[in-house]
Amino acid sequence: MSRDPEDRDAILHAVSSAVLAVTRHLSVREVLQVIVRSAQRLLDARYAALGVPDDDGSFAEFVAEGITDRQWDAIGPLPRQHGMLGAMLREGVPVRLPDLREDPRFEWWPKAHPVMKDFLGVPILDGDQVLGIIFLANKRTPGGFTAADQDLLTLFAAHAAIALINARLYESGRELAMVEERNRVSRDLHDAVTQKLFSLRLTAQAAAALVHRAPERAVAELDTVQRLAGEALAELRAVIVELRPAELDRHGLAETLGRQVRLLDRLHPAAVTFEADTLPDLRSEVEVAVLRVAQEAVHNALRHARADLVVVRLAREGGRVVLTVSDDGTGFDELAGRGLGLVSMKERAESVGGGVTVTSARDEGTTVRMEVGV
């Protein structure tokens, strides 16, 4: 595969992004999207897609580049395992064609489907098992796809196979870890907080019964109520702190958030930048809340806003830490934004004595601002 130095640099960068995506704890869909986007750009294709079949004749995962959301809505449901896609899943060999429509394996497209001519597809293999297919269509430069293009797409398919296996193993491990963590938290709550709250309730009932016939004893019981409530709160906070992400302990809030932003900047078409003032020491639960709100806000901007620029900033303003996540995307009105995790962000902020405000309007971008006292 002979390419000039500039092409080789592009290949190395694209493969680096794919490898990085595989080795990070991203979802299966996010990893596959990185690979498809890299293959499309590197091989100069108008369209690119990657499909992972399910057991019902459709696709468990199907990610694509070059088709707008409006086009997807017009096309309809995900494709079935028929025509060329079905043939590739059955045969497990590369396909390179000057005109897809002239191949006998081609059947039909939905009416709104874009017309595809020159075609290059390779299977995603785990040994002899076909995990999925990755394909490109309509090369922008004249001449169609070459043997060198096929070699390069085969390389991306190998990374897609690693990505699928790695991400599935990670998600299975994460599910198991979440079950184990829920069980541990349940035990901790039962052993500590639940017992404290049970004692608090009984003591409060005793105080209520004594308030009229033995006021002095009722006052003593209320003192016990106050002590037990404080102990229960301390126990609950201790459980919450143990749920803190390990990265925060190793790197702190600013460095952890900065690392995540830099990764997202490499993986997404939008530019994602990070700025941070020097921050004071923050309570553990505040660091967790700020990190989670930032993750949710950036996720919304990258997934829903179609932004070209997302700016994440941590600042110190007087006695408060302020997080802002701003994008230049499509924005939304109040009704449309209710499903974007805004309630969750506000609840997280309020749980540590802070607050979240969201400023947005159609076609004018969005800014999420969280403030919390230090």
Side-chain angles (χ1 to χ4, degrees):
M1 183 167 60
S2 176
R3 293 178 181 267
D4 62 36
E6 185 176 344
D7 284 343
R8 288 196 295 271
D9 288 344
I11 292 169
L12 290 173
H13 178 75
V15 173
S16 173
S17 296
V19 171
L20 181 62
V22 170
T23 56
R24 297 294 298 184
H25 293 167
L26 301 177
S27 71
V28 173
R29 187 173 184 84
E30 288 172 320
V31 171
L32 299 184
Q33 194 76 59
V34 171
I35 292 171
V36 169
R37 187 178 298 127
S38 298
Q40 179 207 27
R41 291 178 175 175
L42 190 60
L43 295 174
D44 198 25
R46 176 76 179 273
Y47 304 109
L50 190 157
V52 179
D54 61 18
D55 296 327
D56 300 318
S58 185
F59 288 88
E61 295 284 354
F62 197 90
V63 297
E65 289 290 321
I67 299 177
T68 67
D69 291 341
R70 181 174 295 180
Q71 285 176 305
W72 269 123
D73 292 340
I75 291 170
L78 287 178
R80 306 291 294 176
Q81 297 173 27
H82 65 80
M84 182 58 73
L85 301 187
M88 290 186 62
L89 291 173
R90 292 190 301 271
E91 298 167 9
V93 295
V95 175
R96 181 160 54 93
L97 302 168
D99 193 332
L100 171 63
R101 298 164 296 180
E102 295 179 0
D103 190 278
R105 292 168 291 185
F106 173 74
E107 293 181 1
W108 57 276
W109 288 314
K111 183 177 180 181
H113 196 285
V115 174
M116 296 181 178
K117 185 182 177 184
D118 45 312
F119 178 89
L120 172 62
V122 299
I124 301 167
L125 300 173
D126 178 17
D128 294 330
Q129 180 186 5
V130 179
L131 301 179
I133 50 176
I134 181 170
F135 64 88
L136 308 173
N138 296 19
K139 190 174 177 71
R140 296 178 189 275
T141 51
F145 297 103
T146 65
D149 292 332
Q150 181 174 318
D151 291 341
L152 187 53
L153 191 61
T154 301
L155 176 63
F156 275 96
H159 283 92
I162 298 170
L164 279 169
I165 295 168
N166 180 74
R168 285 172 174 174
L169 287 173
Y170 171 70
E171 288 188 348
S172 297
R174 183 174 60 180
E175 290 174 5
L176 178 60
M178 289 175 64
V179 171
E180 293 176 346
E181 181 67 5
R182 281 197 299 268
N183 291 338
R184 184 192 66 77
V185 171
S186 178
R187 289 193 302 270
D188 289 349
L189 288 173
H190 181 271
D191 294 342
V193 181
T194 303
Q195 294 181 23
K196 284 285 193 312
L197 293 176
F198 181 72
S199 298
L200 189 153
R201 182 184 179 189
L202 291 179
T203 306
Q205 290 174 339
L210 293 169
V211 70
H212 294 298
R213 56 190 177 87
E216 295 85 358
R217 290 177 59 191
V219 171
E221 293 293 340
L222 289 174
D223 287 340
T224 303
V225 167
Q226 183 176 357
R227 177 179 58 80
L228 290 172
E231 291 175 359
L233 180 60
E235 294 279 3
L236 185 57
R237 281 177 174 167
V239 172
I240 292 172
V241 167
E242 290 182 18
L243 298 176
R244 161 190 181 92
E247 292 91 341
L248 287 176
D249 289 326
R250 290 196 297 267
H251 307 300
L253 175 61
E255 180 62 21
T256 297
L257 187 52
R259 284 169 178 254
Q260 294 185 5
V261 166
R262 288 191 291 274
L263 174 64
L264 293 171
D265 182 53
R266 292 191 64 182
L267 299 184
H268 289 270
V272 190
T273 67
F274 178 70
E275 305 167 4
D277 295 344
T278 301
L279 301 180
D281 291 335
L282 301 175
R283 290 173 288 144
S284 178
E285 59 266 34
V286 170
E287 287 191 324
V288 173
V290 172
L291 179 63
R292 296 305 189 210
V293 169
Q295 290 171 331
E296 182 72 32
V298 174
H299 171 87
N300 286 341
L302 293 175
R303 284 293 183 87
H304 305 295
R306 296 196 289 274
D308 294 319
L309 175 65
V310 181
V311 178
V312 182
R313 177 164 176 75
L314 279 175
R316 182 174 184 176
E317 298 181 6
R320 305 182 73 78
V321 167
V322 177
L323 163 75
T324 56
V325 179
S326 301
D327 68 69
D328 62 354
T330 56
F332 56 86
D333 56 36
E334 182 179 354
L335 182 62
R338 290 177 181 174
L340 299 179
L342 305 184
V343 173
S344 173
M345 288 190 284
K346 290 180 179 180
E347 288 178 348
R348 285 189 182 277
E350 290 169 359
S351 71
V352 292
V356 165
T357 57
V358 180
T359 305
S360 186
R362 288 288 182 185
D363 302 319
E364 295 183 11
T366 300
T367 296
V368 176
R369 178 182 174 93
M370 174 181 176
E371 297 185 24
V372 61
V374 298

